[in-house]
Amino acid sequence: REPHLVRHREPSSPTFVPSAPYHPARIAHYNPPSMSTKNEKIIALFDVDGTLTMPRLKATEEMLSFLPKLREKIFIGLVGGSDLAKQKEQLGEDVLDIFDFTFPENGLVAYKGRDSIGEQSIQVHLGEEKLKNLINFCLKYMADIDIPVKRGTFIEFRKGMINVSPVGRNCSQTERDAFEVYDKEHHIRRDFVNALREKFADYGLTYSIGGQISFDVFPEGWDKTYSLNYVGHIPEIHFFGDKTFKGGNDYEIYESDRTIGHSVTSPDETMAICKELFFKD
């Protein structure tokens, strides 16, 4: 196996960590692993698609068995662009029990164990008028795109972002795979994002291409580095992701001075690197 891409960073000084009161009734059944051998100075944050699972597929039994063992060594966290429901589809209904921290929607929705510790709203941030202008432009643009197939759910409104899919999120896995290949040749998403950047240059938005069929739109600074606000007290932060190129939805957190970034190509590579780094004893 070729050496993986890694960006070495010096651990940053601790920063303020937003918090919320714990609610014992909500987390009574939450049993974290033994802390006896856990290095509390290290956390590994993971992207989902292409990192812990294959795109939009369920995690393998091997991965689901590996994560609790890793959690006995260090803190672990999940940082995905999708909402919590989709993370549960891929990693299981007990996803909040698997990780010390879970960050759907780039960390704009945040959990520590089962406890909600933060939430942001693109609706409140942008305001209804700007949001309508953005969505209307996207719908008109997609109506004029000529691609092999179109299905349904072209825009998915989330708490901290909107997700735009030219082919439609209701497409089958076969259609999803086919669009990914088509997009690499015809640059459908790239050109769409460029049109949005030009049209809404004064809106203060970031556009992030991720997964196979869509891209996310959110306010500047609301990329995956937002999740670091909740783990800044941990001195050494590792991040694992596959879309680490400029414009990819892992780029900002991979390049951040606050992280040690690892660019991976598959769940198997993710596990192999973690074993090399955190299972030395």
Side-chain angles (χ1 to χ4, degrees), residues 3-9 238-240 254 259-264 273 277:
H4 73 284
L5 295 177
V6 57
R7 298 189 63 86
H8 295 283
R9 303 294 187 191
H238 292 256
F239 172 75
F240 295 78
Y254 173 75
T259 67
I260 300 170
H262 306 271
S263 187
V264 299
I273 296 168
L277 290 174

Side-chain angles (χ1 to χ4, degrees), residues 90-138:
Q90 292 180 264
L91 289 154
E93 287 294 323
D94 61 344
V95 64
L96 296 179
D97 295 329
I98 295 174
F99 297 91
D100 295 289
F101 294 89
T102 304
F103 300 117
E105 302 187 38
N106 292 352
L108 303 174
V109 178
Y111 295 88
K112 183 177 182 180
R114 286 183 163 267
D115 197 32
S116 173
I117 56 175
E119 186 174 297
Q120 285 284 4
S121 167
I122 189 173
Q123 183 177 357
V124 172
H125 183 86
L126 275 186
E128 199 59 49
E129 196 62 32
K130 286 184 176 180
L131 197 56
K132 284 194 300 182
N133 291 341
L134 177 65
I135 291 174
N136 286 342
F137 180 88
C138 288

Side-chain angles (χ1 to χ4, degrees), residues 20 60 70 92-93 106 201 203 227:
T60 63
L70 178 61
E93 287 294 323
N106 292 352
Y203 274 31
S227 65

Side-chain angles (χ1 to χ4, degrees), residues 46-263:
F46 299 95
D47 169 49
V48 183
D49 287 339
T51 304
L52 294 182
T53 76
M54 296 307 290
R56 289 302 304 144
L57 298 181
K58 295 181 182 296
T60 63
E61 287 300 321
E62 182 182 9
M63 178 61 76
L64 292 175
S65 297
F66 174 74
L67 289 171
K69 296 174 184 175
L70 178 61
R71 193 179 176 196
E72 292 176 359
K73 299 289 186 181
I74 59 171
F75 288 120
I76 63 173
L78 184 68
V79 187
S82 296
D83 57 24
L84 182 61
K86 290 183 178 61
Q87 292 181 348
K88 287 182 175 180
E89 287 176 8
Q90 292 180 264
L91 289 154
E93 287 294 323
D94 61 344
V95 64
L96 296 179
D97 295 329
I98 295 174
F99 297 91
D100 295 289
F101 294 89
T102 304
F103 300 117
E105 302 187 38
N106 292 352
L108 303 174
V109 178
Y111 295 88
K112 183 177 182 180
R114 286 183 163 267
D115 197 32
S116 173
I117 56 175
E119 186 174 297
Q120 285 284 4
S121 167
I122 189 173
Q123 183 177 357
V124 172
H125 183 86
L126 275 186
E128 199 59 49
E129 196 62 32
K130 286 184 176 180
L131 197 56
K132 284 194 300 182
N133 291 341
L134 177 65
I135 291 174
N136 286 342
F137 180 88
C138 288
L139 291 172
K140 290 176 182 176
Y141 187 97
M142 284 187 285
D144 293 329
I145 295 177
D146 185 16
I147 55 179
V149 301
K150 290 183 181 181
R151 294 299 179 248
T153 311
F154 299 100
I155 292 180
E156 185 173 80
F157 186 82
R158 301 173 181 171
K159 291 178 182 177
M161 65 180 72
I162 66 171
N163 178 265
V164 183
S165 175
V167 68
R169 298 195 64 89
N170 288 356
C171 64
S172 68
Q173 186 63 48
T174 300
E175 291 164 342
R176 176 185 289 268
D177 295 339
F179 177 80
E180 182 180 29
V181 173
Y182 186 86
D183 186 48
K184 286 179 179 178
E185 181 180 352
H186 297 278
H187 308 296
I188 301 299
R189 290 184 289 176
R190 184 199 67 184
D191 294 346
F192 197 163
V193 164
N194 287 340
L196 285 165
R197 284 198 177 107
E198 181 177 350
K199 177 68 175 179
F200 300 102
D202 60 338
Y203 274 31
L205 295 172
T206 295
Y207 307 89
S208 182
I209 296 173
Q212 296 176 288
I213 62 168
S214 66
F215 60 88
D216 297 325
V217 184
F218 45 83
E220 291 175 354
W222 288 20
D223 52 67
K224 288 185 179 180
T225 59
Y226 195 89
S227 65
L228 300 179
N229 291 322
Y230 297 98
V231 296
H233 60 292
I234 302 174
E236 186 172 318
I237 304 172
H238 292 256
F239 172 75
F240 295 78
D242 67 319
K243 296 291 192 300
T244 57
F245 51 85
K246 189 173 179 61
N249 66 349
D250 297 324
Y251 175 76
E252 290 85 1
I253 191 169
Y254 173 75
E255 289 284 342
S256 172
D257 290 338
R258 292 179 285 173
T259 67
I260 300 170
H262 306 271
S263 187

